Amino acid sequence: MYAYVETGGKQYKVSAGESIKVEKIDAEPGSEVKLDKVLAVIKDSEAKFGTPYLDGAAVSAEVVETAKQDKVMVFKQLPRKNSRKLRGHRQEMTTLKIKDIQGV
């Protein structure tokens, strides 16, 4: 059984027991989070799809940690202008361990 959920503006395929990295969620490590924006639930040969979300479906997950990704360097230079910009960015990500999928 697996489901497609939306969080942080992105869609993820999840199943029970696996870990995923999503954009930062304000929750303490060890707490439980409920993802209720479920797009589809697939179990064996049976599939249910929402328009856009399934009513009554949810995915429960445990927050493992919140950390930053590796730094991404952005360098811009204009030709013949002696203009340079160097910027760095580290996105904060939350690791979730999927516990259970409640289908409809």
Side-chain angles (χ1 to χ4, degrees), residues 1 7-8 12 27 29-30 45 57 59 61 69 85-87 93 98 101:
M1 180 176 194
T7 180
Y12 300 92
S45 62
V59 174
Q69 284 186 324
K85 291 183 191 176
L86 178 64
R87 301 282 184 262
M93 301 294 279
I98 307 301
I101 299 171

Side-chain angles (χ1 to χ4, degrees), residues 49-84:
F49 299 96
T51 55
Y53 306 116
L54 276 171
D55 293 329
V59 174
S60 61
E62 178 185 352
V63 176
V64 177
E65 69 171 346
T66 299
K68 289 186 174 184
Q69 284 186 324
D70 293 337
K71 184 173 276 196
V72 176
M73 301 303 291
V74 179
F75 181 73
K76 295 180 182 179
Q77 181 176 3
L78 295 175
R80 299 182 303 271
K81 301 274 193 241
N82 198 18
S83 171
R84 298 181 200 145

Side-chain angles (χ1 to χ4, degrees), residues 5-36:
V5 296
E6 181 182 324
T7 180
K10 298 173 183 65
Q11 297 174 1
Y12 300 92
K13 177 182 175 183
V14 298
S15 60
E18 73 178 15
S19 295
I20 59 170
K21 286 190 176 187
V22 299
E23 289 201 19
K24 184 181 177 190
I25 296 175
D26 291 329
E28 295 294 321
S31 64
E32 189 165 323
V33 176
K34 192 172 189 179
L35 305 173
D36 56 352

